[in-house]
Amino acid sequence: GNEIRVPEMNVKQWVEMLQAGIAMLIATIGLFLALLATSTLFPTMLQKGSIDLLLCRPIPRWRLVTSRFIGGASIMAFNAAYLFLGVWAVLGLKSGVWTRGFPLSTILVIFAFVVLFSVVMAVSVITESAPAGLLLAFTLFMFSPVLAAHEQITPAFSKELYRQVFRLLYWLVPKSAETIGAMRRLILERPLDIQW
């Protein structure tokens, strides 16, 4: 057999790589679980009996939907902050390495959740179905890496119309893959490469 050569790392690099891996795991699996847990907030509100009770009070409908949205986002934000800050504190205390990118990446996870949760909310209110909103949000999340590679993919299209449609989809669909990539770059102290 051949010798396995592992690149040398100091403790700071190891902690940053571990934090980047944990952040990527939280951003993918955690977003799925958070969306799954909060997807029923709106359809249950619209069921007969629940909506009757809510609408008999003098509260505007937009306030009902907004308060549910803010409640779901707040629960997820608290859980994300608790998890990220807890992991950051434990790793910092054990290793003596305190990075600033890992706790700041909490903001990006919350932002990604709020964007996808708004899709779940809109579709769930329109269709009165939690699975429909969840399915669309998961589809957008899974299709996001393909759209993120639009600069490499669009030259392969034979017609300019297809290129324009693909670019339009890129600008319309939430950029979850790029948000997760930005988390990784933030933790590893690399430039964010934000495109406008």
Side-chain angles (χ1 to χ4, degrees), residues 53-135:
L53 179 65
L54 292 172
L55 292 179
C56 72
R57 296 185 178 135
I59 300 172
R61 292 178 185 179
W62 67 266
R63 193 176 287 173
L64 289 172
V65 173
T66 304
S67 63
R68 287 273 175 142
F69 181 83
I70 291 172
S74 299
I75 290 169
M76 190 279 174
F78 174 77
N79 288 335
Y82 179 73
L83 183 61
F84 271 83
L85 295 177
V87 168
W88 178 69
V90 168
L91 284 174
L93 289 171
K94 292 291 184 182
S95 68
V97 176
W98 297 94
T99 60
R100 63 183 167 97
F102 191 71
L104 287 176
S105 64
T106 308
I107 297 167
L108 292 173
V109 169
I110 294 169
F111 176 73
F113 173 78
V114 166
V115 169
L116 290 173
F117 189 48
S118 64
V119 171
V120 171
M121 176 197 71
V123 174
S124 295
V125 167
I126 291 169
T127 63
E128 297 182 17
S129 169
L134 202 55
L135 184 62

Side-chain angles (χ1 to χ4, degrees), residues 132-159:
L134 202 55
L135 184 62
L136 182 61
F138 286 168
T139 303
L140 293 175
F141 188 74
M142 298 306 286
F143 195 57
S144 178
V146 175
L147 291 175
H150 73 282
E151 291 179 358
Q152 291 83 20
I153 294 174
T154 51
F157 291 125
S158 60
K159 295 188 178 183

Side-chain angles (χ1 to χ4, degrees), residues 11 115 176:
V11 175
V115 169
S176 305

